[in-house]
Structure formats: C-alpha cells, structure tokens
Amino acid sequence: MEDSSNNIRPCALITGSSRGIGRAIAVRFAKSGVDVAVNYSREGGKSESAAKALVEEFKSLGVNAVSIKADISKKDEVKYLIAETISNLGRLDYLVLNAAKAPFKPIEKLFERELNDLVRTNYMGNIFCVQEALSYLEAASGKIVFISSLGSKYYNASYPLGSMKAAMEAVVRDLSETLSKKGISVNAVSGGIVKTDSFKVLRQYVEGLDMMPESFFVTPEEIADVVYFLCSGQSRGISGQTIVVDRGMSNSLFRNFTK
Ligand SMILES: NC(=O)c1ccc[n+]([C@@H]2O[C@H](COP(=O)([O-])OP(=O)(O)OC[C@H]3O[C@@H](n4cnc5c(N)ncnc54)[C@H](OP(=O)(O)O)[C@@H]3O)[C@@H](O)[C@H]2O)c1
C-alpha cells in the first residue's frame, strides 16, 4: 500500500493494538508495507511489553513503528497519541478505531462509574481520536475504520457495549457524509465471535456459546483483511457502511447448534 506518487510509506494508527483483533490489524498493515502506531492503555503490564515486541517485529519487516501508551477515554491522552504518531511516523493515513472495554452485565445494573466509563471509552474516546486526527487524515485523503460487533443489532443480556457499537455505527454513517468533503472515507467492520481475551469472559455470560461449531468463529485475521480492504483503493465505492464479517452466523435466527 505504498503511496505510488512519491514512494512515501503510509501510516496506520490502530487503537488497542497490542493484543487481540487490533494486533492482527497492526500485523496486516505492517506486512503490507505500512508504518504502524501500536496503541495500548495499561502501563507496565503484558500489553506494554507486547506492544514493544510488536514494534521490534515490524521494524525487522522494514517498516517504521512506534508503541504509544494512551487511554482513549481521556482527551489529553488522545492528543498525545496523535502527536506522538505524527512526530514518530510523520503522517497519518489510516485510523482504525478498535479499542473497546466494557463490563459484561445488564444495562439496568450498571453503576454510574461503569456507565461513565462505557460511554467515555467506547463512544467519546473514538470521537476524540477522530477530532484530533482530522487535519492529518485530511492531508492524506485518509480512511477511518471502526470495529463494531453484532451487539449493535442483536440482544445479549450482558453486553452493554452493544448500545455503544450501535451509536458508533450511526457516527460512522454521519461522519462518512461530512468527512467525504475532506476526502476522508469512513466505514466499519462488524465482527462475529472471535476468540480473543474478551471472548474468555463473554463465554461465561452467553448461554450455549460453547455449543457453537468451530466453523462459525471468526479469526482476527479475517477481520484484519476486511479492514485492510476498506483502507485500500479497491473500496472506493463504499462509504458509511458497516461490513459484517461473521462467517454467516447472523444470517439465520434459528440455528440448531446441537446438530
Ligand atoms: N472478540 C470478539 O468476539 C469481538 C467481536 C466483534 C467485535 N469485537 C471488537 O473488536 C475490538 C477488539 O476486540 P478484542 O476482542 O480484540 O478485545 P480485547 O482482546 O479485549 O482487547 C482490547 C484492546 O483494547 C484496548 N483498550 C481497552 N480500553 C482502552 C482504552 N481506554 N484506551 C486504549 N486502548 C484500550 C486494550 O488495551 P490494553 O491491552 O492496554 O488493555 C486492548 O488492546 C473491540 O472493539 C471489540 O468490541 C470483538
């Protein structure tokens, strides 16, 4: 995905990319010759060491990379995240809004603190990222891809994150209209069920999930491929859409997993 006009490598920032789906997206970009900013939120733990190892791996592939600790729910940290991306990598072509965090419990049982965190991390944080990145994305005629989930449309008793995903899919539609005038494309990828760290918790709350055949589980790489496609010129006819990548799981309401 090299910028053929001047041989400058494009740059991708993927929020929450030291592990899980974000990591697979970061790898997809780096292996395709894109410089990558790897973001994580927790200091001094596994995420930080994983982010640093990823940066070294990417540099050995011949692209430039940087790891940046920033909590997207805090506007000043988002300012820092974008500033560090630009000062280390020089530009920003692709902003992938992947980071998410939410408790698994019914909406009516959320404490005020949890409700605040839910909205700040999964709605406001994404908008902070877009606002801070806007001028750089405009300069690069860039792309924004949001990572959504089936919870935006389907009920799950313990998944308040679904309502934030629904709100963000509306934001994606609205931004695609307003930002197209600046040459920025905005789309989303909605994933089915992926076996990441969050799945280990989800399976405790979704009855029958363990009965789901292996063939319905989506791999992080399958999501990453569609994100990459949406950042490529091949997706030029797509705007404001949420592309579902769930191996067809949501096509049928009535599936007998016991067979
Ligand atoms: N797993 C699934 O089945 C599935 C399905 C469809 C869609 N999705 C979506 O795909 C995305 C990634 O999911 P995943 O399963 O890979 O998640 P995960 O394994 O739980 O990882 C979440 C990532 O988000 C980061 N993060 C959380 N809060 C953050 C904050 N405030 N600021 C910056 N980074 C933050 C984490 O960073 P730290 O490591 O520093 O905590 C981590 O890198 C999410 O948007 C999720 O909703 C997941």
Side-chain angles (χ1 to χ4, degrees):
M1 222 186 244
E2 206 161 81
D3 184 334
S4 55
S5 55
N6 49 13
N7 281 344
I8 290 173
R9 276 194 308 273
C11 166
L13 163 62
I14 302 105
T15 63
S17 47
S18 73
R19 59 193 173 101
I21 295 168
R23 184 185 199 281
I25 297 168
V27 169
R28 182 68 174 86
F29 278 111
K31 285 189 171 166
S32 308
V34 175
D35 291 343
V36 177
V38 178
N39 160 245
Y40 61 98
S41 70
R42 281 183 286 182
E43 191 154 22
K46 273 205 291 195
S47 291
E48 185 171 299
S49 48
K52 291 192 168 138
L54 212 47
V55 165
E56 291 316 306
E57 188 185 321
F58 292 169
K59 286 183 176 169
S60 74
L61 293 172
V63 296
N64 204 356
V66 62
S67 63
I68 307 165
K69 188 204 109 45
D71 178 344
I72 62 156
S73 70
K74 297 178 178 149
K75 188 157 188 164
D76 56 334
E77 296 198 21
V78 171
K79 278 183 192 284
Y80 172 77
L81 173 63
I82 303 299
E84 280 294 288
T85 301
I86 298 302
S87 80
N88 283 278
L89 304 177
R91 53 188 285 145
L92 182 57
D93 299 76
Y94 316 123
L95 172 65
V96 183
L97 303 168
N98 167 80
K101 193 179 181 185
F104 287 92
K105 67 194 285 195
I107 287 175
E108 70 274 17
K109 292 191 176 159
L110 289 172
F111 296 121
E112 188 176 348
R113 171 184 49 79
E114 292 173 322
L115 199 48
N116 258 312
D117 285 349
L118 180 75
V119 178
R120 287 198 75 89
T121 303
N122 304 292
Y123 179 79
M124 292 173 70
N126 289 318
I127 293 172
F128 292 156
C129 289
V130 171
Q131 290 173 337
E132 291 304 316
L134 207 52
S135 60
Y136 304 104
L137 289 170
E138 183 174 7
S141 298
K143 319 263 185 190
I144 298 171
V145 180
F146 170 67
I147 308 300
S148 193
S149 72
L150 297 177
S152 70
K153 289 195 178 64
Y154 301 100
Y155 167 73
N156 175 338
S158 301
Y159 191 74
L161 183 54
S163 56
M164 296 295 97
K165 297 295 192 188
M168 279 304 302
E169 287 182 16
V171 168
V172 163
R173 183 202 56 221
D174 292 358
L175 283 178
S176 73
E177 287 294 313
T178 49
L179 300 190
S180 68
K181 298 174 191 83
K182 297 180 186 289
I184 302 169
S185 97
V186 190
N187 286 292
V189 176
S190 175
I193 301 188
V194 190
K195 285 185 180 170
T196 61
D197 291 342
S198 62
F199 171 74
K200 291 174 198 155
V201 189
L202 181 71
R203 65 196 288 267
Q204 297 167 30
Y205 293 92
V206 180
E207 218 175 305
L209 193 57
D210 286 331
M211 310 261 300
M212 191 168 99
E214 202 55 39
S215 59
F216 277 121
F217 285 98
V218 179
T219 65
E221 291 73 24
E222 285 167 340
I223 309 251
D225 280 344
V226 181
V227 172
Y228 185 78
F229 162 71
L230 287 173
C231 289
S232 75
Q234 311 283 302
S235 69
R236 63 194 178 284
I238 303 175
S239 181
Q241 301 303 307
T242 297
I243 314 286
V244 176
V245 180
D246 71 346
R247 295 193 174 201
M249 189 183 69
S250 62
N251 286 337
S252 173
L253 263 182
F254 303 106
R255 247 185 230 289
N256 187 347
F257 289 139
T258 59
K259 280 190 184 162

